[in-house]
């Protein structure tokens, strides 16, 4: 989008880790007026995933060192509304709405958009090996916390 084109008023971004947050901050730089809403199913955005094993191993002692940005910081610095633990459950392209569910309260609602960015990330592949369903995966901060708790 540039100054000569019509910019969307409300942009919803599904997925708030690397790709989603890069899209959100880039959009803010090129459009100061857009309402930007990021929906992230996990408990954090903008975290150092390469540092997860180092925290598990005690090399990085403070968990907070892995979290690069908090939603309040993103709101203050970039005017981006980040909704953690919020899952997009359906998209109605004709109506330009996203159905979302708050994973903590269970509440559902609809969010309208003018433009939609899909950056949902991925999930780790678990090969069909006996016992793999009980193995710990180290994919995000929540996985890291579960792995540390299980080790303790």
């Amino acid at each position: 989008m540039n100054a000569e084109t019509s910019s969307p008023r409300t942009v919803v971004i599904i997925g708030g880790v690397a790709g989603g947050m890069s899209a959100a901050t880039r959009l803010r730089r090129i459009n100061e007026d857009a309402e930007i809403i990021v929906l992230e199913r996990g408990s954090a955005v903008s975290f150092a995933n390469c540092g997860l094993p180092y925290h598990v191993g005690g090399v990085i002692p403070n968990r907070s060192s892995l979290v690069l940005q908090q939603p309040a910081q993103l709101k203050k610095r970039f005017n981006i509304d980040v909704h953690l633990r919020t899952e997009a459950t359906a998209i109605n392209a004709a109506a330009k709405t996203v159905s979302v569910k708050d994973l903590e309260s269970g509440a559902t609602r609809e969010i309208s958009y003018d433009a939609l960015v899909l950056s949902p990330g991925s999930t780790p592949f678990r090969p069909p090996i006996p016992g793999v369903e009980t193995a710990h995966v180290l994919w995000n901060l929540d996985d890291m916390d579960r792995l540390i708790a299980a080790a303790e």
Side-chain angles (χ1 to χ4, degrees):
M1 285 178 260
N2 60 38
E4 291 119 28
T5 63
S6 166
S7 299
R9 294 179 311 277
T10 301
V11 179
V12 172
I13 300 172
I14 298 175
V17 187
M21 291 314 302
S22 292
T25 55
R26 176 67 178 136
L27 175 61
R28 175 55 68 224
R29 287 183 185 97
I30 61 175
N31 185 339
E32 294 179 9
D33 300 321
E35 177 184 12
I36 303 171
I37 302 167
V38 176
L39 307 174
E40 172 53 42
R41 179 177 32 192
S43 63
V45 293
S46 189
F47 63 92
N49 58 351
C50 59
L52 299 178
Y54 295 100
H55 179 66
V56 171
V59 175
I60 298 175
N62 297 321
R63 182 187 190 279
S64 62
S65 298
L66 300 174
V67 180
L68 307 174
Q69 294 285 331
Q70 296 284 351
Q73 294 169 304
L74 291 163
K75 179 66 175 172
K76 183 177 180 182
R77 182 171 179 199
F78 296 106
N79 193 23
I80 296 172
D81 291 319
V82 176
H83 301 268
L84 299 178
R85 306 285 298 138
T86 302
E87 182 175 29
T89 57
I91 298 169
N92 183 332
K96 290 194 168 188
T97 61
V98 177
S99 301
V100 300
K101 179 179 182 179
D102 182 309
L103 296 177
E104 293 179 358
S105 71
T108 60
R109 63 190 170 107
E110 301 288 317
I111 299 176
S112 297
Y113 63 85
D114 296 301
L116 179 65
V117 176
L118 302 177
S119 183
S122 61
T123 56
F125 172 70
R126 289 181 177 246
I129 300 171
V132 74
E133 65 279 353
T134 61
H136 289 278
V137 172
L138 186 56
W139 197 254
N140 56 36
L141 292 169
D142 294 332
D143 292 337
M144 182 188 70
D145 293 339
R146 282 189 293 273
L147 179 60
I148 291 169
E152 291 173 347

